[in-house]
Amino acid sequence: MYYSKFKSTLAILTISATLFVSCNKTEEKEVVSDTPVEQTTPVTPDAAKQDTIKITLNSTDKMQYDLSEIDVNEGQTVVLTLHHTGTMPIASMGHNFVLLKQGTDLAKFEEKASKAQKDGYIPTDTSDIIAHTKLIGGGESDTITFKAPAKGTYDYMCSFPGHYSVMKGKFNVK
Ligand SMILES: [Cu+2]
C-alpha cells in the first residue's frame, strides 16, 4: 500500500516536472520570436541623413594651412577643427578659418576683415560668410559645426591681415 502511494506521488511529480519544462520551452520560443520585431525598427535611413564628416585643419607659425582642398558631400554636417600647431601669439600669428559664399572677392573681403580686429578679423557688416572659427594663437584649437552648402566649389581663407594670399583653399561640396 505504502509503496504504491509513493509510486503515484512520484508519477505526479514527474508529470508536473515535464509540464514545467515544456512551459519554459514555450516561453523561450516566444522571447526568440519577439526579437526580430524589435530589430526591424528603421535606424539606417536616419543615420544616412545625419551623415557627419570630421575635418582637421592644422595651421602653423609659418603662416600655412596643411590642407589646400577640403572635400565634403552635400547635406553633410561638417565638424571642422582648426588647430594652431605653432607657439606664436595670436597678435602676431593669429589664424582662423573663414568659409565664403561663392562669388566673394577675397581681396575685398580681407580689406573689410582687416578693419575688424576687435572681432577677431571677422567683419560683422557682411553676408559673405557661410561659417567661421574664432581667431586662435599658437597651441590653441577651435571646433565649429555647420551644414555643408549646396554642391559647388567655395573658397576658404584665414582673414588675419596679410595671410590669405598663402592661407587659402578650396572647399568642394560634391
Ligand atoms: Cu592666419
Side-chain angles (χ1 to χ4, degrees), residues 83-88 136-141:
H83 292 300
H84 192 315
T85 60
T87 56
M88 289 174 72
I136 57 171
E140 293 181 325
S141 297

Side-chain angles (χ1 to χ4, degrees), residues 12-173:
I12 288 162
L13 276 175
T14 311
I15 288 163
S16 36
T18 312
L19 277 173
F20 182 71
V21 168
S22 60
C23 254
N24 260 5
K25 267 187 188 166
T26 315
E27 271 177 29
E28 266 175 35
K29 262 184 194 168
E30 275 173 14
V31 170
V32 169
S33 70
D34 272 353
T35 314
V37 178
E38 281 173 26
Q39 282 177 342
T40 56
T41 311
V43 174
T44 323
D46 283 349
K49 271 182 201 167
Q50 291 166 2
D51 202 358
T52 297
I53 183 164
K54 286 186 179 176
I55 309 282
T56 302
L57 178 64
N58 295 304
S59 57
T60 69
D61 279 347
K62 291 180 178 174
M63 211 173 88
Q64 283 174 331
Y65 284 139
D66 69 341
L67 298 175
S68 58
E69 299 222 8
I70 295 171
D71 294 339
V72 305
N73 290 320
E74 192 178 33
Q76 272 186 319
T77 299
V78 183
V79 180
L80 184 143
T81 300
L82 175 70
H83 292 300
H84 192 315
T85 60
T87 56
M88 289 174 72
I90 194 167
S92 57
M93 191 53 72
H95 298 312
N96 61 16
F97 164 91
V98 183
L99 181 62
L100 298 164
K101 285 186 184 166
Q102 283 174 325
T104 302
D105 186 302
L106 268 58
K108 280 181 186 168
F109 181 84
E110 200 232 17
E111 201 185 318
K112 245 187 215 178
S114 67
K115 292 168 190 160
Q117 186 179 7
K118 65 173 173 62
D119 295 313
Y121 301 110
I122 300 296
T124 49
D125 58 338
T126 179
S127 58
D128 295 337
I129 301 170
I130 295 172
H132 71 85
T133 66
K134 65 178 185 183
L135 193 73
I136 57 171
E140 293 181 325
S141 297
D142 189 34
T143 299
I144 54 167
T145 301
F146 60 96
K147 190 103 171 172
K151 279 178 193 173
T153 300
Y154 302 78
D155 290 307
Y156 65 87
M157 62 181 271
C158 173
S159 67
F160 190 97
H163 286 198
Y164 93 94
S165 57
V166 183
M167 296 187 74
K168 64 182 171 186
K170 296 290 181 192
F171 189 89
N172 305 308
V173 184

